[in-house]
Amino acid sequence: MNKINLDTYAPNTWCPGCGNFAIMNAVKLVIAQLSAEGLPLEDIVLVSGIGCHGKIVDYINVNSFYSIHGRATPVAEGIKLAKPGLKVICFAGDGDAYGEGIEHLIFAAKRNIDITMVIHNNRVYGLTTGQYTPTSPLGFKGRSTPRGTVEPPINPLELMLASGATYLARGTSHGIELLKKIFKEAILHKGFSLVDVLQVCVTYFNMYEYYNKHVYELKDNNLQDFNQALNKIREWDYNHEAPIALGVFYRKEFPAFEDNFIKDRPGQADRESKISEFLNKNI
């Protein structure tokens, strides 16, 4: 079997030590594995938002789409609806998806549309040099809050669980083996899947030591138990000192949005005949 080369000619401009590298390398390995198992590369589409993470689509040689800030989710939804056979993997930052794009994310989860969201959650706006985001801890001191934030962070996984997401997981950029496992499961899951990756920004919010001290991997949890998932998700609120669970919190089988949305959509031939019928009646 030939090794699949997913590299591109684009020079990488991420900071040394950036958590984006682990996410990109894990995704590349998973895509190569899926391709080797029979998934054509042309059936995979990557979507990214705006931020340091967004460059990931420049560095992986498959079809991709750069969206605007906060709008990566609806672009991924549109691609999926236009061609349901595609695997759509959408990358977004925490400020991107959990801030401006939060409404889109909620409705994508509510619809259970079959896309995979990978959130590069470094809990800071890195590209714009260090402002706080929806998951920055209370008191975070950045460029826009030199005296510290006065609002607590949201727990995005709790919000996604309540919104109807059928696959929820968390990883870190310091654990590529777990990321590979989760990414593959999330991509193969039929329905809306979201992986929150605690990604370190070495320049504006270096949390390597903190995460290494607090994370643990979930074992033997019942993935179909909503209340158990909620309790585990609430164990750490992205603010206070607490154990930080990694792994899959919740997985549920449920009809995907596109299956019902396009069920009665006429095929190309049907559409042409209906257009002709309409024109003949009205012109």
Side-chain angles (χ1 to χ4, degrees), residues 62-87:
V62 296
N63 292 318
S64 62
F65 192 104
Y66 249 122
S67 72
I68 59 175
H69 197 252
R71 304 295 182 263
T73 306
V75 169
E77 289 185 276
I79 292 171
K80 184 67 183 181
L81 290 179
K83 196 166 184 181
L86 296 175
K87 286 290 183 188

Side-chain angles (χ1 to χ4, degrees), residues 52-104:
C52 293
H53 81 277
K55 300 173 187 174
I56 193 169
V57 299
D58 290 339
Y59 307 145
I60 304 177
N61 191 22
V62 296
N63 292 318
S64 62
F65 192 104
Y66 249 122
S67 72
I68 59 175
H69 197 252
R71 304 295 182 263
T73 306
V75 169
E77 289 185 276
I79 292 171
K80 184 67 183 181
L81 290 179
K83 196 166 184 181
L86 296 175
K87 286 290 183 188
V88 183
I89 307 168
C90 182
F91 302 92
D94 49 311
D96 189 9
Y98 298 153
E100 188 175 357
I102 189 66
E103 182 184 351
H104 297 298

Side-chain angles (χ1 to χ4, degrees), residues 114-237:
D114 184 22
I115 62 174
T116 297
M117 299 294 303
V118 176
I119 309 300
H120 299 234
N121 189 357
N122 58 15
R123 308 171 68 199
V124 69
Y125 283 100
L127 188 64
T128 51
T129 69
Q131 296 81 11
Y132 79 101
T133 75
T135 54
S136 299
L138 183 67
F140 175 83
K141 293 182 179 179
R143 295 290 293 271
S144 59
T145 52
R147 296 182 181 178
T149 62
V150 294
E151 57 186 277
I154 65 169
N155 185 332
L157 293 178
E158 183 175 351
L159 180 61
M160 287 295 95
L161 183 67
S163 300
T166 53
Y167 184 98
L168 287 173
R170 182 195 285 140
T172 73
S173 55
H174 211 197
I176 191 168
E177 290 304 318
L178 182 59
L179 280 185
K180 283 163 44 183
K181 177 177 178 291
I182 294 172
F183 285 166
K184 186 174 182 181
E185 283 187 4
I187 293 167
L188 293 177
H189 174 73
K190 179 66 173 175
F192 180 84
S193 58
L194 182 141
V195 184
D196 185 62
V197 183
L198 297 175
Q199 177 217 322
V200 171
C201 175
V202 291
T203 304
Y204 296 107
F205 200 28
N206 192 336
M207 298 287 283
Y208 273 124
E209 185 176 345
Y210 181 88
Y211 291 146
N212 288 342
K213 180 181 175 183
H214 289 80
V215 297
Y216 75 97
E217 190 171 339
L218 288 165
K219 299 286 186 185
D220 302 323
N221 54 316
N222 184 351
L223 299 181
Q224 297 180 350
D225 189 325
F226 182 95
N227 291 324
Q228 186 181 103
L230 181 60
N231 289 334
K232 280 297 176 185
I233 285 171
R234 284 178 169 172
E235 201 170 57
W236 179 58
D237 63 0

Side-chain angles (χ1 to χ4, degrees), residues 80-81 84 111-115 190-191 256-263:
K80 184 67 183 181
L81 290 179
R111 294 171 180 139
N112 194 37
I113 189 165
D114 184 22
I115 62 174
K190 179 66 173 175
F257 178 73
E258 63 275 14
D259 292 338
N260 292 323
F261 182 81
I262 64 173
K263 187 166 57 179

